[in-house]
Amino acid sequence: QVQLVESGGGLVQAGGSLRLSCAASGHTFSTYAVGWFRRATGKEREFVASIRWTGWTEYADSVKGRFRLSRDSANSMMRLQMDSLKPEDTAVYYCAARDLPYSSTSADVHDYKYWGQGTQVTVSS
């Protein structure tokens, strides 16, 4: 079992930055692909970014060039650096871990078995 806890959300003005963190415990976190999803009010949960155990990353087109995902496997941490934030980035952000070790990155919410509780990010215009 993998437990995930997000932190770092908050309120920021458009153009600002935030850094989200996800702390993991349980299974050998370093071997799992992990990622971030977000859900805006009234919308479906959508993919943001994912990182493989090798460090390979995948990003949604809407955040490419603005967000950067990294992992610190030694400390079972994952971080999402979000720059040049826009009001449309406002959402609850969830970190997630894939269902199997040594998996590739994925933008499909159904490929993720473990989820955090979410952290609110609000970007004002």
Side-chain angles (χ1 to χ4, degrees):
Q1 189 76 10
V2 175
Q3 292 82 39
L4 304 172
V5 178
E6 305 96 336
S7 61
L11 173 64
V12 65
Q13 288 187 330
S17 298
L18 280 175
R19 188 174 72 171
L20 303 183
S21 296
C22 177
S25 61
H27 280 325
T28 307
F29 175 77
S30 61
T31 62
Y32 283 73
V34 290
W36 290 90
F37 288 77
R38 65 187 181 187
R39 176 180 283 164
T41 302
K43 295 188 177 181
E44 297 290 321
R45 192 172 299 196
E46 66 172 5
F47 171 73
V48 175
S50 180
I51 185 167
R52 198 177 178 186
W53 64 280
T54 58
W56 175 268
T57 53
E58 179 183 358
Y59 296 92
D61 289 342
S62 59
V63 306
K64 278 182 183 175
R66 300 188 298 121
F67 290 12
R68 182 168 58 86
L69 182 57
S70 62
R71 67 189 300 167
D72 178 359
S73 294
N75 294 302
S76 296
M77 292 287 292
M78 175 176 61
R79 295 181 177 88
L80 182 68
Q81 177 67 39
M82 306 186 295
D83 298 322
S84 303
L85 283 162
K86 304 175 181 180
E88 50 264 44
D89 294 318
T90 296
V92 177
Y93 283 69
Y94 300 89
C95 69
R98 279 216 55 182
D99 47 356
L100 296 171
Y102 304 109
S103 298
S104 61
T105 58
S106 173
D108 188 343
V109 64
H110 299 101
D111 286 336
Y112 292 80
K113 181 176 181 180
Y114 306 102
W115 293 85
Q117 293 300 306
T119 185
Q120 177 70 46
V121 171
T122 302
V123 184
S124 63
S125 58

